Amino acid sequence: MNQHDPTATTSDTQGQKPATTPQKWAVWSAQPTSPAATETTNQTTAHYAGSAVRQTLRRFMRMRASVVCCVLLLLLTTVSVAAPLLATHDPDATDLSSSLVSPSGDHWLGTDQIGRDTYSRLIYAGRVSLLAAVEALVVSVGIGLPLGLVAGFARGKTDAIISAVTDAVMAMPGLLLAIAIIGAIGPGLTNAMIAVGVLLSPRFVRLVRASVISVRENAYIEAAITSGTSPVRIMGRHVIPNILPPLLVQAAFTTGFAMLAEASLSFLGLGVQPPQASWGSMLNSAYQTINQSSFQPIPPGIAIAVAVLAFNVIGDGLRASIGREEYRS
Amino acid sequence: MTNNTAATRTTATDGGIGNEAEVVSPLRTIARMVARRLARSVVLLFIVSIAAFGLIWLVPGNPASTLAGEFPSQEEIAAVESALGLDAPPHRQYIDWLGSALTGDLGESLRSGRSVSSEITARLPVTLSITFFAVVFALLVAVPVGTLAAVRRGSLSDRLLTVGSTLGVATPSFFVAILLVIFVALNSDFFPATGYVGPSESIYDWVRHNTLPGIALGLALAAELARQIRSALIDVLRSDYVRTARAKGIPERIVLTKHAYKNSALPVVTILGAQIATLVGGTVIIESIFAMPGIGGLAISSVLSQDIPVIQGIVLVVGALVVAVNTLVDISYGFFDPRTRQ
């Protein structure tokens, strides 16, 4: 990345000053900035970028556990998307004559208290759980990325305030704070995931801030600042590509954590509202009938554990294979 | 995440003093360190208090009419308004609330009319008990397991730890709790599935009631700690002074207990401090499964009835507790490791 950026800066300056005199062109042409030359540099950049992605992929593929988890997650997503095709019963159809039956040929994972097919409900609930986790991730990146960029770039008072608030949020018990926020804005899956997203955003603020601070030490950023490139452009062109690897790693972990949070809140009845179900709420209703059927809590519980595990292991694998040497551990 | 915390802590504290600290006596350095950490915790507490109070502003619409219950009359709305002091300007409301909070008065519940602080103090011991049992369980598991894995690196038990800790971190505590209820509580009379008995009534029953909740809550912490102890021990066991100790012919057991543990204790303490918030938050759901009358149950019931004063009080008290624990951990860290004092 590093060695190509000066070229990028040069083309920046050119783009901003199209009305350069021929004399100035003479000076510039000492450097390879003729259209043809620029093209070659771009190709080299593309070549390098391609090989970086390929290298990362190769390193990642070597980590068997992470690859298995990727496949697992793909499978979960496919099953959730194709739930209408794969379900054997209507997930909301009740049948009181066959409540809490054990797994059988007709009901693969048995039924719940009011005779709904657990297998069909499980794959439909997967949609809700996965989507909710992604919702929270989007909220937390949406808050964390800009705040982290601002804190890292502005430094001084702005940074001090943002960092203090970040510290305070991180110091608080997340689940309790999420519950408190839901208490104010009211229960419901969207509200719950907004609360979770807000509470997870400090992770991104810290990460992005630290990355920005370390990236802006580089000489080419200083050069870009001196040559009058706008901060927004510097962030878009130089900073964000540099912080993408650690951001991806954190995103994997955060999605797993958001899933856990969704399951917890829905278990407590503060997230998803009936008749819609997520794995967390299924676990709760199964727990209510634990004396009659001790099997029912198992499928949703395993589903949550497996999904969270998959995100964590993928995060571990990404951390070990992505980005520059110093990011890996 | 925990690594992040440690890193920020050191960067947050290394501003300013620089070289002159070498000249200053150690006592003064420690005093300065303590003062700095205390100042930081005051700032954190200030933000926590604003967050707790600010919850009222998140209530959609006119808080007073929303909180007064279904179909409130004009008088009921006015009563809620004056009970919450909503008729004053926002900063005035905050100062009044904080002022009485500092004297221990957190207002009254909108639903039961009882004092919020007495509700919280009545339930706090339950939550603290579960947290205590979780930490004890985590240490009891993590120290031997982490040590074994570090000493026999690459062996089967080491690999089992890696797999086990990955599983342990990912399994939701409430699923562990449910499994414990199914497989242990429903099959034995010794560990009850529900309820709480305080230690002042019967230590024996206190242990019986808190063991399963403690295990459920502490499992993820145990997994995390075991992993950290393993990597910290491996680092220490590779160091020169351990090699010297071994070369002197000191038995391995003494090398471990006298030299290695001491130096691997610091990262463990840091993680414990960082995880306290997660643990306390986790008690909410564990309490609900084991039907224990703790802060969590109070939080959920007051959230479902939008009992804002109670929620505000819980956020403030729990936040203050967590900040206090973290500050103590920070300060103890500074005592043990002179490098972090500056």
Side-chain angles (χ1 to χ4, degrees):
Chain A
M1 206 71 219
N2 216 332
Q3 66 242 49
H4 299 291
D5 282 312
T7 338
T9 322
T10 341
S11 50
D12 274 357
T13 351
Q14 269 185 358
Q16 282 171 354
K17 297 175 195 164
T20 32
T21 56
Q23 273 167 329
K24 274 195 177 163
W25 269 108
V27 182
W28 283 112
S29 61
Q31 287 163 13
T33 42
S34 68
T38 324
E39 208 156 46
T40 352
T41 346
N42 280 348
Q43 269 173 4
T44 1
T45 320
H47 169 73
Y48 267 91
S51 78
V53 170
R54 230 179 304 141
Q55 273 178 12
T56 305
L57 258 179
R58 201 171 337 122
R59 279 191 295 260
F60 189 78
M61 292 305 278
R62 247 182 270 144
M63 266 159 282
R64 257 179 299 160
S66 304
V67 175
V68 169
C69 283
C70 266
V71 174
L72 211 68
L73 213 56
L74 269 177
L75 202 74
L76 271 179
T77 319
T78 320
V79 169
S80 306
V81 172
L85 300 173
L86 295 169
T88 53
H89 293 76
D90 177 351
D92 296 322
T94 58
D95 177 8
L96 289 175
S97 63
S98 62
S99 86
L100 292 172
V101 298
S102 306
S104 66
D106 186 31
H107 296 288
W108 296 351
L109 295 174
T111 59
D112 68 2
Q113 196 183 10
I114 50 176
R116 294 176 295 193
D117 181 59
T118 301
Y119 162 73
S120 306
R121 281 181 77 68
L122 193 72
I123 57 179
Y124 270 97
R127 292 177 146 190
V128 178
S129 298
L130 287 171
L131 210 67
V134 173
E135 251 175 62
L137 177 72
V138 170
V139 172
S140 61
V141 175
I143 298 172
L145 184 66
L147 279 183
L149 285 174
V150 168
F153 244 91
R155 312 297 305 268
K157 240 185 218 156
T158 325
D159 182 20
I161 293 174
I162 294 179
S163 297
V165 173
T166 307
D167 281 357
V169 174
M170 296 272 283
M172 287 291 294
L175 190 60
L176 195 71
L177 210 50
I179 290 174
I181 294 178
I182 295 168
I185 61 181
L189 191 59
T190 310
N191 280 355
M193 290 341 272
I194 291 174
V196 170
V198 169
L199 296 175
L200 289 178
S201 62
R203 297 167 163 224
F204 289 100
V205 176
R206 274 192 184 173
L207 178 77
V208 172
R209 175 182 169 274
S211 308
V212 170
I213 289 172
S214 85
V215 168
R216 60 173 283 157
E217 299 298 311
N218 286 316
Y220 66 86
I221 299 274
E222 226 165 276
I225 295 174
T226 343
S227 66
T229 316
S230 77
V232 176
R233 206 183 175 97
I234 295 179
M235 286 189 204
R237 260 210 128 104
H238 306 297
V239 177
I240 293 193
N242 266 304
I243 61 179
L244 218 49
L247 208 62
L248 264 177
V249 174
Q250 185 61 53
F253 288 123
T254 304
T255 316
F257 200 85
M259 264 194 115
L260 213 51
E262 185 277 327
S264 310
L265 292 170
S266 293
F267 183 90
L268 294 171
L270 302 173
V272 67
Q273 300 297 315
Q276 208 186 19
S278 78
W279 291 333
S281 69
M282 282 181 75
L283 194 56
N284 185 35
S285 54
Y287 183 64
Q288 306 303 326
T289 55
I290 201 165
N291 282 316
Q292 290 105 295
S293 159
S294 53
F295 174 74
Q296 283 305 312
I298 309 284
I302 289 183
I304 300 167
V306 165
V308 175
L309 180 81
F311 279 113
N312 284 352
V313 174
I314 291 172
D316 280 334
L318 276 176
R319 181 162 55 193
S321 54
I322 203 172
R324 291 195 215 141
E325 204 70 52
E326 68 248 37
Y327 291 136
R328 289 184 237 139
S329 51
Chain B
M1 187 183 109
T2 31
N3 288 342
N4 263 349
T5 330
T8 344
R9 255 185 215 144
T10 27
T11 42
T13 49
D14 62 15
I17 302 183
N19 296 338
E20 77 187 84
E22 286 165 24
V23 203
V24 182
S25 73
L27 206 67
R28 273 187 62 186
T29 329
I30 290 181
R32 272 193 197 180
M33 186 261 310
V34 172
R36 221 176 6 244
R37 310 259 149 115
L38 284 180
R40 185 172 166 270
S41 69
V42 169
V43 173
L44 283 184
L45 275 177
F46 176 65
I47 298 175
V48 166
S49 72
I50 290 183
F53 184 76
L55 284 169
I56 187 85
W57 298 319
L58 292 177
V59 178
N62 173 10
S65 64
T66 312
L67 300 179
E70 269 178 86
F71 312 115
S73 66
Q74 233 13 272
E75 293 83 63
E76 280 170 322
I77 296 179
V80 171
E81 212 158 63
S82 71
L84 294 175
L86 286 172
D87 28 16
H91 65 277
R92 191 71 239 167
Q93 294 174 28
Y94 169 71
I95 293 170
D96 286 347
W97 176 78
L98 188 66
S100 34
L102 287 175
T103 61
D105 171 18
L106 290 165
E108 277 97 43
S109 157
L110 289 179
R111 304 290 171 241
S112 68
R114 288 213 290 263
S115 134
V116 173
S117 36
S118 64
E119 289 254 19
I120 292 178
T121 36
R123 284 157 173 271
L124 205 54
V126 182
T127 303
L128 293 182
S129 293
I130 304 175
T131 315
F132 172 74
F133 273 78
V135 171
V136 170
F137 168 76
L139 285 175
L140 282 180
V141 172
V143 172
V145 171
T147 311
L148 190 72
V151 173
R152 302 199 184 145
R153 199 144 67 94
S155 69
L156 182 68
S157 41
D158 185 17
R159 266 174 290 161
L160 276 180
L161 164 74
T162 314
V163 175
S165 67
T166 314
L167 272 177
V169 171
T171 315
S173 62
F174 47 96
F175 186 44
V176 179
I178 289 177
L179 290 179
L180 286 173
V181 170
I182 296 176
F183 292 111
V184 181
L186 292 184
N187 291 323
S188 90
D189 295 331
F190 186 73
F191 294 117
T194 55
Y196 174 80
V197 175
S200 51
E201 290 165 58
S202 152
I203 293 274
Y204 175 73
D205 283 340
W206 181 60
V207 173
R208 273 185 348 126
H209 278 91
N210 280 288
T211 304
L212 292 186
I215 293 176
L217 186 64
L219 191 69
L221 179 65
E224 174 84 36
L225 274 182
R227 217 190 273 189
Q228 290 295 330
I229 290 175
R230 173 186 175 273
S231 65
L233 263 184
I234 285 177
D235 277 351
V236 173
L237 289 178
R238 259 196 224 137
S239 64
D240 288 341
Y241 73 88
V242 166
R243 193 161 7 112
T244 313
R246 281 177 179 158
K248 281 196 294 189
I250 296 174
E252 195 63 26
R253 190 173 43 84
I254 311 261
V255 171
L256 265 180
T257 49
K258 267 197 110 165
H259 299 279
Y261 274 146
K262 235 186 218 166
N263 281 291
S264 47
L266 287 173
V268 173
V269 172
T270 314
I271 298 222
L272 264 181
Q275 293 285 327
I276 284 290
T278 319
L279 277 186
V280 174
T283 55
V284 176
I285 201 156
I286 298 295
E287 282 169 14
S288 121
I289 290 176
F290 289 97
M292 300 170 90
I295 296 281
L298 183 66
I300 294 168
S301 65
S302 42
V303 159
L304 289 175
S305 60
Q306 288 206 314
D307 198 343
I308 291 286
V310 181
I311 305 175
Q312 287 176 323
I314 292 176
V315 171
L316 186 71
V317 170
V318 173
L321 266 176
V322 171
V323 168
V325 170
N326 276 327
T327 307
L328 280 180
V329 168
D330 267 3
I331 290 177
S332 70
Y333 207 79
F335 268 109
F336 289 126
D337 190 346
R339 284 168 300 182
T340 60
R341 273 178 210 162
Q342 294 167 21

